[in-house]
Amino acid sequence: MRTLAILSTTAGAGVTTLTALAFARTRHDLNGSPLLCGPAHGPLLNRANGDEVTALNPHIALWDAGVRSTTEILDLLTTRNVIVAIAVPATPLGSADAARVTAAISSTNPELLERVTIVHTGIYGYRRPRRTRMGIASLALPYDRALTQPGGVPVDPRNYSRRTRTAITAWQNYASWALRT
């Protein structure tokens, strides 16, 4: 099964929100929606506005994998058909953490970096996400108050700033591509 595992090395980096945003794009796919996986009693179903779909594709999955250690990330990457998106806060510490994890992956097997994407998530108070040049795919999702509200992620794109809409579209395009290639 092709799986996009969305995870972080720290709590509060937006893993569940990113999973819900990816699901919003893929839930009505003509080839069927991916399986939506996450903690049994976590907020994913609420954040994703439910899990009702018209058709299910049992060959692809979105996984809210939560907080994972570097060792666990390496284990996931050695599993066939798993793509990893690592959410890190768009702060100097978040960028340093991403660099540490990618260095560990690179030292284990540089080819695994082809299946890793870093998503820098905006944090209140930081105007521009800081991204480091690590030689791997990276995206930035700016801070937007609409994404921090409790409940489901807003479906109407007018709820987001123009910059956030562009970033969400880039993330959703990536997630859709990762599940299909």
Side-chain angles (χ1 to χ4, degrees):
M1 173 184 309
R2 183 80 166 175
T3 302
L4 175 57
I6 304 158
L7 53 90
S8 182
T9 58
T10 184
V15 171
T16 301
T17 298
L18 287 169
T19 306
L21 288 169
F23 188 65
R25 167 69 171 273
T26 58
R27 79 184 313 148
H28 299 296
D29 191 287
L30 295 175
N31 295 320
S33 170
L35 298 169
L36 187 60
C37 309
H41 300 290
L44 180 58
L45 282 182
N46 185 33
R47 210 62 187 130
N49 297 305
D51 62 352
E52 298 80 22
V53 296
T54 54
L56 188 63
N57 183 338
H59 303 292
I60 57 175
L62 282 170
W63 179 24
D64 175 348
V67 176
R68 299 289 166 159
S69 69
T70 302
T71 304
E72 290 174 310
I73 295 169
L74 285 166
D75 287 345
L76 284 173
L77 285 169
T78 59
T79 305
R80 187 171 176 240
N81 288 326
V82 174
I83 305 294
V84 173
I86 304 171
V88 297
T91 64
L93 187 57
S95 293
D97 199 29
R100 178 187 56 77
V101 171
T102 56
I105 294 167
S106 180
S107 69
T108 301
N109 181 352
E111 291 178 7
L112 295 175
L113 289 175
E114 295 174 7
R115 297 188 359 235
V116 175
T117 296
I118 302 294
V119 183
H120 298 269
T121 56
I123 303 299
Y124 179 76
Y126 282 83
R127 299 306 292 166
R128 292 197 179 253
R130 300 237 179 236
R131 292 195 283 182
T132 56
R133 303 274 185 236
M134 291 176 267
I136 64 169
S138 69
L139 299 166
L141 184 65
Y143 174 82
D144 192 308
R145 185 176 295 275
L147 289 173
T148 65
Q149 301 303 312
V153 292
V155 179
D156 187 351
R158 293 176 293 183
N159 289 317
Y160 305 112
S161 71
R162 182 179 52 82
R163 214 169 108 214
T164 302
R165 282 193 305 269
T166 301
I168 288 172
T169 299
W171 164 247
Q172 290 174 328
N173 287 342
Y174 167 78
S176 183
W177 170 84
L179 289 171
R180 309 270 186 272
T181 54

